[in-house]
Amino acid sequence: MPHKLADCFKTAMTDAAEPEQAAQDLASQLLHPHLGFVLFFCSAEYDLATLADALEQHFGGVALTGCTSAGEITSQGYGRGCITAIGFDHRAFAVDCTLIRELDNFSLVDAQQAVERMLSHCRHTGLAPIKDHTFALTLLDGLSSREEVVLSTLSAALGSIPHFGGSAGDDNHLSHTHVYHQGRFHTGAAVVVMFNTWLNFEVFTTHHLQPLADKLVVTAADSETRTVLELNAEPAAEEYARLVGVPLSELSLSHFALNVLAVRIRDQFYVRSIQRVNPDGSLTFYCAVDTGIVLTAMQPGPLLPDLRLEIERLRQQLGEPVLIIGCDCFLRRMESELRGEADSLGRFLANNRVIGFNTYGEQYNGMHINQTFTGVAFALPH
């Protein structure tokens, strides 16, 4: 049984623009006799078909899963236009993956069969008991608008197994996002990865937002397309622009990043981020919206203090994190850039061994959320 950090994980990054060179770089950093699985996040700027072929060729037989991103988190902090990756040692992790091709037709029976198949693989490996030693990671096409349905179905099948994930990005183009499974990039799909390990771990989520007094009631919405037509019985974009205090014509992504709306569920606020203003004055969101919900305006604080507190809490709970896989909303990164905090945030992530990506939405125990930092932290058993 490996007991040193180096025996459980290896991390890698490459900013080589040419897919063949990039795959070769990653392989040279990750390949070793006990490599069992590779998770990667890559810029959508790559020629994905060529990259897929190159990865399969250079990793010869090692299972790889990943997705395109809206920015990468590397061992050096925030990256852009690169690939970041983690190699998992098969002596510390049993891993199995399932591709969900048709998100629209994903049923509870499909979810139960997939979960049972992956659990069976983990049981067969015999590394650790299933209970308390297993979690799932979900990577979804970030433009599919099917996250809620797929996640609630999966959550029912997973039961008490914690799960988290992120929606694939495409460097803020909002046009084509992909997940990778068995040698190909897929669109309109999702990958579920089951991990079983004897390491200590905790799945977590955190955000840096506080509620304000302002409320907006969704008085007309098309829930199928996540589009809000009216807020407070006024055209949605107009009412939002009034709340933010800018002319409608000037509304931009930076306003969405800094002026956040959230829905309250019990005592927690869950962000509903705006994706775009439509020509008809409606607003399309990244998360589920429905007629009748009340959106609360949120006040963002600095990003670093909240993240520092959360990682300190994890340290107390688990021990010193040896790796954190992070799904960090791309709007948080944009906010950190607008506020001049990106460099210090990137350094903090690197110092705390965070590897991951900027997402078009995060997933946490069956919920699809926005503008959070969600992930899993690992520590060696005491």
Side-chain angles (χ1 to χ4, degrees):
M1 180 182 284
H3 56 276
K4 301 194 301 293
L5 161 61
D7 293 332
C8 299
F9 309 101
K10 284 189 185 300
T11 65
M13 72 84 65
T14 178
D15 53 12
E18 204 273 310
E20 175 66 27
Q21 183 62 52
Q24 194 175 324
D25 281 0
L26 294 174
S28 69
Q29 295 171 67
L30 293 177
L31 282 175
H32 66 91
H34 301 290
L35 180 64
F37 175 72
V38 174
L39 177 66
F40 73 90
F41 308 107
C42 71
S43 164
E45 302 297 323
Y46 283 94
D47 177 326
L48 295 179
T50 309
L51 179 62
D53 290 345
L55 287 170
E56 284 304 295
Q57 183 193 330
H58 283 284
F59 280 92
V62 174
L64 286 92
T65 290
C67 68
T68 55
S69 64
E72 299 76 51
I73 306 172
T74 78
S75 55
Q76 282 121 52
Y78 278 141
R80 186 82 73 190
C82 64
I83 308 175
T84 186
I86 307 162
F88 294 83
D89 190 311
H90 67 71
R91 296 169 298 174
F93 289 89
V95 184
D96 202 16
C97 306
T98 297
L99 177 71
I100 306 170
R101 286 179 192 281
E102 294 182 34
L103 301 183
D104 284 348
N105 301 321
F106 186 60
S107 70
L108 183 56
V109 172
D110 295 333
Q112 287 166 332
Q113 287 174 346
V115 167
E116 192 42 56
R117 193 170 56 248
M118 291 186 289
L119 285 177
S120 172
H121 170 83
C122 293
R123 281 191 201 99
H124 181 71
T125 310
L127 270 185
I130 295 300
K131 185 173 166 50
D132 299 330
H133 293 274
T134 307
F135 69 92
L137 164 69
T138 45
L139 301 173
L140 284 99
D141 180 333
L143 299 175
S144 66
S145 300
R146 306 303 297 167
E147 288 99 329
E148 284 83 11
V149 180
V150 171
L151 286 172
S152 61
T153 306
L154 256 181
S155 188
L158 285 164
S160 62
I161 295 170
H163 51 109
F164 81 99
S167 300
D170 66 346
D171 300 288
N172 305 359
H173 297 306
L174 301 176
S175 54
H176 296 99
T177 58
H178 297 79
V179 297
Y180 179 93
H181 178 76
Q182 290 185 345
R184 283 190 51 216
F185 282 95
H186 303 262
T187 191
V191 180
V192 186
V193 190
M194 185 82 76
F195 291 86
N196 175 249
T197 180
W198 48 260
L199 274 80
N200 292 344
F201 67 83
E202 185 179 328
V203 169
F204 68 93
T205 185
T206 186
H207 65 72
H208 64 302
L209 304 157
Q210 296 297 323
L212 295 166
D214 299 297
K215 309 276 188 209
L216 297 171
V217 181
V218 177
T219 45
D222 177 354
S223 57
E224 191 64 26
T225 60
R226 299 174 172 169
T227 300
V228 173
L229 310 171
E230 288 181 6
L231 289 166
N232 297 343
E234 298 290 338
E238 273 180 39
E239 187 68 358
Y240 177 76
R242 184 193 60 72
L243 173 78
V244 173
V246 298
L248 176 59
S249 59
E250 288 177 23
L251 274 185
S252 69
L253 259 182
S254 58
H255 293 110
F256 306 154
L258 296 172
N259 300 273
V260 180
L261 303 174
V263 62
R264 184 173 179 168
I265 299 171
R266 293 182 288 280
D267 59 345
Q268 295 291 318
F269 286 90
Y270 295 97
V271 173
R272 295 287 177 261
S273 293
I274 299 169
Q275 186 182 111
R276 64 176 183 272
V277 178
N278 300 310
D280 63 358
S282 62
L283 295 170
T284 296
F285 284 69
Y286 280 104
C287 260
V289 285
D290 227 330
T291 305
I293 64 168
V294 177
L295 295 169
T296 299
M298 303 292 281
Q299 170 73 49
L303 288 135
L304 199 46
D306 171 77
L307 200 51
R308 188 178 277 125
L309 269 176
E310 182 63 14
I311 290 179
E312 194 44 52
R313 184 192 68 75
L314 290 164
R315 193 170 274 122
Q316 301 295 325
Q317 194 80 18
L318 293 176
E320 185 61 33
V322 291
L323 178 82
I324 296 172
I325 304 174
C327 300
D328 184 24
C329 184
F330 87 108
L331 290 168
R332 284 169 58 92
R333 177 157 174 181
M334 182 181 291
E335 185 184 328
S336 74
E337 288 164 353
L338 291 167
R339 292 173 178 274
E341 296 176 16
D343 288 348
S344 58
L345 199 56
R347 277 195 304 276
F348 178 80
L349 295 172
N351 291 340
N352 285 278
R353 298 180 170 140
V354 178
I355 301 289
F357 74 118
N358 297 112
T359 73
Y360 281 174
E362 304 78 61
Q363 298 126 33
Y364 178 69
N365 288 342
M367 293 193 66
H368 180 222
I369 46 185
N370 291 133
Q371 260 163 286
T372 72
F373 187 97
T374 296
V376 64
F378 299 96
L380 295 173
H382 308 312

